Every structure is written in C-alpha cells, then in structure tokens.
C-alpha cells in the first residue's frame, strides 16, 4: 500500500516519485545475518559449582533461536527476488563453524567467521560487525533481538548506533519497499509500525516467521559453500570489555507449594492470603 | 562526591509510565539520599514532566520538548540523551521495550557497555542481572571511571511514591537528529479497559490449554470480577488467541503481581522467567505432571473449563 509519511527524509525525491516507487521491486544486493552459537534452548542450564560460569561441557550448542528467524527472513526476501545474496556471520571460537554450516545448509550463500577465543561484550561484537559492514556494504543487517545466553538485547542497537543507521528492533513483520523498509515492532503497548531508509539494522522477534528445517542434501551442499575466516584482532575494532563479570549464582528457587483438592479449597486458600477481599 | 544519576522517563499519551518510578527506586539504592534527575523527552510533554516532578527522590526534571520527539524513535532520542549523559555518572532506563530499544543505542554512542536488566544493587558499581532465561544470576562490576549505562528490570523494584515537587527545567541539546527512521503508527493491543499487565496487583493468565480466542472470554470475565489484568503464554499468542502484548515470559513481559493465576499453562522455563517475582503463584492444569506445579504455591489439578466458572460463582 502506498502511504506518504510526510517529507522527512533527506533522500526525499518528492511524494509523487516516492509513491510510484513504493513496492517497485528494486532488489537489494546483500543481506547480512548474524548467527550466535549458544547453549540450545532446550538445555536446562546449570551454574558451575565454583560460580565461574555455567556448565557447557558436553552440552548441545545451537544457533540462537532469534538468529534462525533472522536468517529465515533474509532467505525469504532473497527467494522473493528482493535480494541477491545472503551472508551469515559469526563472532566466536572455531567451533562456531558448525553453526555457520547449518546456516549455509538453511540456504545462506556464504559465511564469515570472525574468530575470537573468548566471549565478547555486545559493544565489541557491534564494533566488529561494523568493520564487516564497512567491508561488505550490506543493504540490510538482520540480527536476533537477544542472545539467549547473555540475554543482553544490545548488539543490533549498538551496531545501528556505531554505523549511524536506522534500527528497527523486535520485528514481527518486515516489508521491503525499494530503498525503504516498513517494520511492525512488538512493543509493550501493542504493535508499532515504523519506516526506515536502507541500509538499516533489524532485530527479530519470535513471531516474524517460523524457520525452515534443514534437509540432508542441503547439509551436503553446504560443505561446498565458501566460509571465510578472519581473526578478530586483525579488523582493528576495540575489543576491551567495559564491564567485569565477577561470578554467577543459581537463581533463588521457588519452593513447591501445596496442592489443593478442589475449587472450595482454592478459594479458601486465596481468602486466607487476603485475596478475594 | 555524590554520584550524578540521570533517568530516562518513559511516557505515552501524555502519561508517565510507572517504569520511571521503579527506576527511581533503583537510583535511590545506588546513591541513597542523593536524588536523581529525570529526563522527559517528548513533544508538549508538560503534564508528563509534572507527573515526574512529583515522584520521590527526583532532584530535577529536565525537559526536551520538540516536535521530533513526539514518538519515541530510538535513533532520534539517543543522540539527545548521549549529549546530556556526559554530565552524569549513571544513565538508567527501564527494561521495557522502550528502554531496551533506546539504551543500547545511547551506550554505543558513548562507547561504553550496558548492564541489561539490572535486578539488584550490590554496591554503587556492583549489580546482578539474570542470564540464560533466569537460570543463572550474573554479578557484574562497572569499573571506576566508566559511565554506568543500565536498563532496570522493573519487576525487581517497587515504584517510589508520589507527592514531592521537584523543579522542572527546559533544556536544549545541540545534537543533530537523523530523519532516516520515521514513526508511522501504534496499534494498541488487547488490554482495553483492564488493568495494565505490568502494574496490576492481580494477574490471570491463559495458555494453549484455553484452546481458542473465544474461550479466553471466560478468563476476561473472571479477571473483570477480580479486577485483574490478563496475560498469556507464548503458545496462546502464537495460536492467535490473544495479541502479542499479553505475552508473559523471557521474551514477553516480566511481571511481579501479588497474585498470578495460570490456567492451562504447562510452565516452560521461558514462561516461568516472567513470573518468578510474583507474590503467590496459583496453577490450574489438568495434567498432574505439568512442570508449573513444581513452582506453584497453590496447585489444583483440574479442567479449567470447570474450575473457572466455579471460581467465578464462589467469588461473585
Ligand atoms: C527463545 C524462546 C523464547 C520463549 N519465550 C517465551 C515467553 O516469553 N513466554 C512464554 O510463555 N513462552 C515462551 N517460549 C515458549 C515456551 O518454551 C513454551 O513453548 C510455551 O510457554 C508453552 O505455552 P503453554 O504452556 O501455553 O503451552 P503448552 O506447553 O502446550 O501447555 C498447555 C498446558 O495446558 C494444559 N491444559 C490443556 N487443556 C486444559 C484444560 N482444559 N484445563 C487445564 N489445563 C489444560 C496442558 O496439560 C498443558 O500443560 C519461548 C521459547 C523460546 C524457544
Ligand atoms: N558473537 C556473536 N556472533 C554473531 N552474532 C552475534 C554475536 N553476539 C550477538 N550477536 C547477534 O546479536 C543478537 C543480540 O545479541 P545480544 O545483544 O548479546 O543479546 C544475537 O541474536 C545475534 O544475532
């Protein structure tokens, strides 16, 4: 639908041309998708006895669920003819190649691993991503809204800030219209719609799409796709942390309470506690 | 030297969001007795500034009133906040979708890391926060000399009271504002006239077990009788029974009502993360093995379609 949004854009060509161009199908050259390797969401995570971290030995690792959604969205845009290439990138240890291969098997064209042995803060990750963006010139970067390990919910916003480009966080719908995107965002009050000029950063929410399953032949094909490895230190980004993690503790457990036999007992218990007036 | 704290107010429709009063409670723990400044960035936001000025522990309310701030667009707000932030040791915002969107952009402009979901203050520069969907609590320290940028997990702090009268001052910042991101519209969700999920004393939630959008009506009815807000699991949202803004959990709303009643919710870890701070958790599920019974204070094995009408009758 062609909607004029009030001539705010510095790239404004005037309402007439703009309206004509809405949905004109101009295709993007490249979408970059960030994949983080995290402890699989089905794993019941436990804190190590010495409080230095959580148990990861022998634990299943996967692509962060929000990042799978990010990749799925990029693939759908490409399959619709909206983009020529989808590049997946990861920052982390050599083991992350596994998740990149999964991304390639899902359908990405090419992968980049920025190798770094230790966990980096979102600001450092965003700094490295900026270096990749300056090298690769993507029209759109799609990242997850949060990594389910650190639960930071920062990286996409930080990349957008460093890059001085728009951000559309918590996306549940993404429409590409020529040089602009229109994004529906899941916010506390409901659904917010914003429009942004490309290039831009989008972060995904769960309801954006349902990622496809990887098929066996695609896993074989993925082995032949290009996977470039760069050393994090070689990119010239600041990697020093600004926070210090001093330890991890298990959360306070809620105790299992009492079972009641019927609604009468439930109402009685609620009255005793002062609810129900 | 006392720490200087700036709190970014959240507001919509001319009303201050309660998250601001919760951030003030956090600030008072970081620097007891010192008071914090509150920034209201908006357009014609005088009423919001007045509401903020009434909150306990506010030193001064700063107002940036300009047309560009009429909707909360992070790319537009962040440079203004970053410009003001250089005069502060701490900048705090709420860990709501507003703050989560905005604060990392501010932090990156200032080239510092952010403490997300700050849940407790262990010292002026030592905090805890949940990670791994709340399965672990991380302790973090912000080194001396580094500006603290944080989002405050609102469920962990009780809002400060109103009744004070801090001064209000209009400020101007020189930051260049981008025009590459434009607000189009807000479609509000399913709350209607019911109490707000994030501030309600009582919350009634439904899961996949409720079965359909139409069936949710019995939850709304019960909630109406009790004066409760209504929430939902992700499965109920995904199935289209209710809108997204009713989702409770790791990726939905983190809430701390005095009473939380879950009907037809199995109790996945991602859901439980959102209700850990509730005073009393009641679970009704027809499966005696449902994991939610492991953490519920009161559990009832039963069919919600029988239990809810009976409950309604008893309290009616
Ligand atoms: C990255 C990620 C983030 C997530 N974030 C969230 C989140 O924020 N919030 C969230 O809720 N989930 C979240 N989830 C999903 C979560 O893992 C579960 O899938 C979801 O919470 C299940 O919802 P449910 O309990 O309603 O459904 P189910 O697990 O299907 O449970 C339905 C329950 O209803 C009971 N039932 C059925 N009929 C009746 C009846 N007539 N009377 C009584 N009981 C009945 C059944 O016994 C069952 O226990 C997330 C998942 C991922 C991977
Ligand atoms: N090391 C990493 N490698 C690739 N992508 C990352 C990395 N860290 C964060 N991201 C991306 O940023 C998103 C948000 O992460 P976070 O800010 O840590 O919650 C993730 O969902 C990823 O898409």
């Amino acid at each position: 639908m062609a909607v004029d949004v009030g001539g705010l854009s510095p790239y404004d060509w005037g309402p007439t041309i703009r309206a004509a161009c809405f949905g004109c199908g101009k295709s993007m050259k490249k979408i970059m998708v960030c994949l983080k390797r995290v402890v699989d969401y089905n794993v019941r995570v436990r804190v190590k006895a010495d409080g230095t971290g959580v148990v990861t030995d022998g634990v299943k690792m996967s692509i962060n669920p929000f990042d799978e959604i990010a990749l799925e969205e990029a693939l759908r845009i490409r399959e619709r003819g909206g983009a020529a290439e989808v590049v997946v990138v990861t920052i982390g240890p050599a083991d992350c190649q596994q998740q990149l291969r999964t991304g390639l098997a899902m359908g990405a064209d090419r992968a980049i691993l920025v190798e770094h042995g230790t966990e980096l803060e979102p600001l450092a990750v965003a700094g490295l991503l900026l270096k990749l963006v300056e090298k690769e010139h993507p029209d759109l970067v799609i990242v997850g809204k949060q990594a389910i390990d650190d639960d930071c919910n920062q990286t996409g916003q930080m990349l957008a800030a460093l890059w001085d480009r728009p951000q559309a966080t918590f996306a549940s719908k993404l429409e590409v219209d020529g040089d602009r995107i229109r994004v529906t965002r899941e916010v506390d009050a409901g659904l917010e719609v914003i429009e942004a000029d490309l290039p831009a950063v989008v972060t995904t929410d769960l309801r954006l799409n349902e990622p496809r399953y990887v098929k066996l032949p695609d896993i074989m094909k993925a082995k032949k796709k290009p996977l470039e490895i760069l050393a994090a230190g070689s990119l010239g980004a600041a990697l020093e942390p600004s926070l210090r993690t001093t330890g991890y503790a298990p959360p306070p457990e809620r105790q299992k309470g009492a079972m009641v036999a019927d609604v009468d007992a439930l109402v009685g218990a609620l009255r005793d506690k002062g609810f129900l007036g | 030297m006392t720490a200087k704290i700036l709190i970014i107010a959240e507001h919509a429709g001319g009303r201050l969001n309660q998250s601001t009063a919760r951030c003030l409670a956090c600030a008072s723990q970081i620097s007891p007795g010192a008071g914090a400044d509150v920034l209201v960035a908006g357009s014609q936001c005088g009423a919001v500034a007045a509401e903020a000025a009434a909150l306990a522990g506010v030193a001064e309310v700063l107002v940036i009133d300009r047309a560009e701030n009429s909707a909360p667009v992070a790319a537009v707000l962040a440079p203004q906040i970053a410009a003001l932030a250089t005069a502060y040791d701490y900048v705090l915002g709420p860990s709501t979708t507003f703050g989560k969107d905005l604060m990392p952009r501010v932090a990156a402009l200032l080239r510092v890391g952010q403490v997300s979901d700050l849940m407790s203050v262990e010292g002026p520069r030592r905090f805890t926060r949940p990670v791994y969907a709340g399965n672990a609590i991380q302790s973090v320290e912000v080194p001396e000399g580094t500006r603290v940028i944080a989002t405050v997990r609102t469920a962990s702090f009780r809002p400060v009271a109103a009744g004070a009268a801090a001064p209000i001052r209009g400020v101007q910042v020189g930051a260049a504002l981008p025009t590459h991101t434009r607000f189009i519209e807000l479609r509000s969700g399913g709350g209607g006239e019911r109490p707000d999920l994030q501030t309600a004393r009582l919350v009634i939630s439904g899961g996949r077990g409720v079965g359909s959008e139409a069936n949710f009506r019995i939850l709304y009815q019960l909630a109406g009788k009790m004066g409760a807000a209504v929430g939902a699991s992700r499965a109920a949202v995904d199935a289209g029974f209710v809108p997204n803004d009713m989702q409770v959990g790791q990726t939905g709303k983190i809430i701390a009502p005095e009473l939380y009643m879950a009907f037809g919710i199995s109790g996945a870890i991602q859901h439980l993360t959102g209700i850990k701070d509730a005073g009393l958790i009641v679970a009704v599920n027809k499966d005696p093995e449902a994991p939610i019974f492991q953490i519920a204070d009161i559990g009832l094995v039963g069919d919600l379609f029988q239990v809810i009408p009976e409950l309604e009758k008893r309290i009616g």
Side-chain angles (χ1 to χ4, degrees):
Chain A
M1 198 177 59
V3 178
D4 193 283
V5 290
L8 288 168
S9 165
Y11 313 105
D12 201 339
W13 321 298
T16 330
I17 305 172
R18 237 175 357 143
C21 194
F22 229 107
C24 67
K26 195 178 138 204
S27 170
M28 289 184 272
K29 280 205 265 321
K30 195 184 292 182
I31 303 177
M32 191 163 113
V33 174
C34 300
L35 304 182
K36 188 177 185 190
R37 171 187 167 91
V38 297
V39 172
D40 187 85
Y41 82 95
N42 280 311
V43 172
R44 169 103 213 174
V45 171
R46 280 177 306 115
V47 175
K48 283 187 197 160
D50 65 2
T52 56
V54 304
V55 179
T56 50
D57 289 344
V59 161
K60 184 177 179 209
M61 303 296 285
S62 297
I63 298 176
N64 184 44
F66 292 100
D67 303 352
E68 269 187 16
I69 294 170
L71 177 53
E72 177 65 34
E73 195 65 19
L75 294 175
R76 288 185 191 185
I77 293 171
R78 191 195 60 194
E79 285 159 6
R80 284 202 296 269
E85 190 185 31
V86 174
V87 182
V88 285
V89 308
T90 280
I91 295 155
D95 293 343
C96 295
Q97 288 184 46
Q98 225 180 316
Q99 279 65 42
L100 287 174
R101 288 287 170 206
T102 307
L104 291 171
M106 270 178 78
D109 298 291
R110 167 161 91 74
I112 303 173
L113 170 64
V114 177
E115 205 172 325
H116 191 74
T118 55
E119 182 78 16
L120 292 166
E121 281 177 13
L123 183 62
V125 171
L128 287 168
L129 291 174
L130 179 69
K131 297 292 177 190
L132 291 183
V133 157
E134 287 167 350
K135 235 165 83 91
E136 296 279 339
H137 303 290
D139 304 282
L140 180 63
V141 178
I142 315 183
V143 311
K145 83 163 174 182
Q146 82 196 63
I148 61 162
D149 50 4
D150 63 25
D151 280 336
C152 275
N153 199 328
Q154 300 176 3
T155 306
Q157 297 88 314
M158 287 181 161
L159 170 62
L162 299 177
W163 192 13
D164 200 12
R165 292 305 308 164
Q167 70 188 46
T169 52
F170 324 144
S172 64
K173 189 172 176 199
L174 168 60
E175 295 160 282
V176 185
D177 265 309
D179 286 339
R180 289 175 287 164
I181 49 173
R182 180 178 289 243
V183 180
T184 304
R185 309 179 49 233
E186 295 205 2
V187 297
D188 289 339
L191 295 172
E192 186 192 270
V193 182
I194 62 170
E195 190 191 69
D197 300 329
L198 293 175
V201 179
V202 169
T203 85
T204 60
D205 218 316
L206 291 169
R207 276 170 287 274
L208 183 59
N209 60 51
E210 237 178 88
R212 66 196 63 189
Y213 288 103
V214 173
K215 295 188 222 72
L216 204 55
D218 295 332
I219 296 176
M220 302 312 291
K221 261 193 270 168
K223 291 193 172 137
K224 296 202 190 73
K225 290 186 182 176
L227 192 162
E228 183 185 359
I229 300 179
L230 304 168
S234 71
L235 291 175
L239 303 180
E240 306 76 42
S242 43
L243 314 176
R244 212 162 67 81
T245 296
T246 54
Y248 293 84
E253 291 282 334
R254 276 191 89 105
Q255 295 303 311
K256 181 174 162 58
M259 299 299 288
V260 293
D262 53 29
V263 176
D264 276 333
L266 175 57
V267 170
L270 288 175
R271 286 234 156 83
D272 286 348
K273 306 267 183 201
F275 297 108
L276 307 181
Chain B
M1 213 185 69
T2 52
K4 289 206 70 187
I5 303 178
L6 179 66
I7 290 169
I8 312 305
E10 174 172 7
H11 60 96
R15 297 294 317 267
L16 186 68
N17 189 292
Q18 202 198 48
S19 65
T20 308
R22 294 177 187 264
C23 287
L24 275 158
C26 176
S28 75
Q29 291 183 23
I30 292 170
S31 185
D37 291 350
V38 174
L39 171 68
V40 176
S43 168
Q44 301 180 335
C45 48
V48 175
E51 258 189 276
L55 293 174
V58 177
E60 190 176 32
V61 175
L62 311 180
V63 181
I64 308 180
D65 199 325
R66 53 193 294 179
E68 293 92 328
N69 291 344
S70 60
V73 175
V76 172
L77 292 175
Q80 303 174 60
I81 294 165
L84 283 180
T86 52
Y88 291 87
D89 306 304
Y90 297 75
V91 185
L92 309 180
S95 189
T96 55
T97 53
F98 163 77
K100 288 175 176 173
D101 184 40
L102 173 62
M103 298 304 288
R105 187 150 186 139
V106 174
L109 292 179
L110 296 166
R111 303 292 190 274
V112 288
Q114 170 180 291
V115 180
S116 290
D117 302 315
L118 191 167
M119 69 186 289
S120 78
V121 177
E122 305 294 317
R125 298 184 154 271
R126 290 182 42 223
F127 313 105
T128 67
R129 54 178 303 267
V131 291
Y132 292 96
N135 280 312
I137 306 299
Q138 181 187 27
S139 295
V140 292
E141 200 176 295
V142 185
E144 212 54 64
T146 301
R147 190 168 286 120
V148 179
I149 311 289
T151 57
V152 175
R153 185 175 181 273
T154 49
S156 301
F157 297 88
R158 295 179 147 273
V160 299
I168 299 173
R169 179 164 62 97
V171 292
Q172 268 163 13
V173 293
L177 304 186
T179 53
H180 52 47
T181 314
R182 299 168 291 271
F183 171 82
I184 306 286
E185 62 169 334
L186 177 68
R187 288 184 232 134
S188 36
E193 293 302 299
R194 280 187 299 278
D196 173 52
L197 189 53
Q198 270 160 317
T199 54
R201 265 187 72 228
L202 313 177
V203 173
I204 289 177
S205 264
R208 197 197 310 271
V210 177
S212 72
E213 184 180 1
N215 289 348
F216 249 85
R217 211 186 29 147
I218 62 172
L219 272 88
Y220 298 136
Q221 266 173 21
L222 179 64
K225 279 226 168 123
M226 295 177 66
V230 180
S233 71
R234 175 185 166 192
V237 178
D238 284 356
F241 303 169
V242 295
N244 67 287
D245 55 334
M246 285 170 64
Q247 181 175 315
V248 172
Q250 181 192 14
T251 49
K253 288 176 179 158
I254 311 277
I255 57 174
E258 289 170 36
L259 172 66
Y260 184 79
M261 299 180 77
F263 294 94
I265 293 179
S266 62
I269 179 76
Q270 295 91 356
H271 186 80
L272 302 185
T273 300
I275 59 170
K276 274 191 182 157
D277 296 297
L280 189 80
I281 296 177
V282 174
V284 176
N285 195 304
K286 67 179 182 190
D287 174 10
E289 304 296 322
I292 194 155
F293 288 131
Q294 293 306 313
I295 61 110
D297 300 292
I298 304 175
L300 173 60
V301 177
D303 186 327
L304 70 94
F305 297 106
Q306 280 158 16
V307 171
I308 291 178
E310 270 190 64
L311 254 177
E312 225 190 300
K313 238 188 291 161
R314 299 282 200 298
I315 63 182

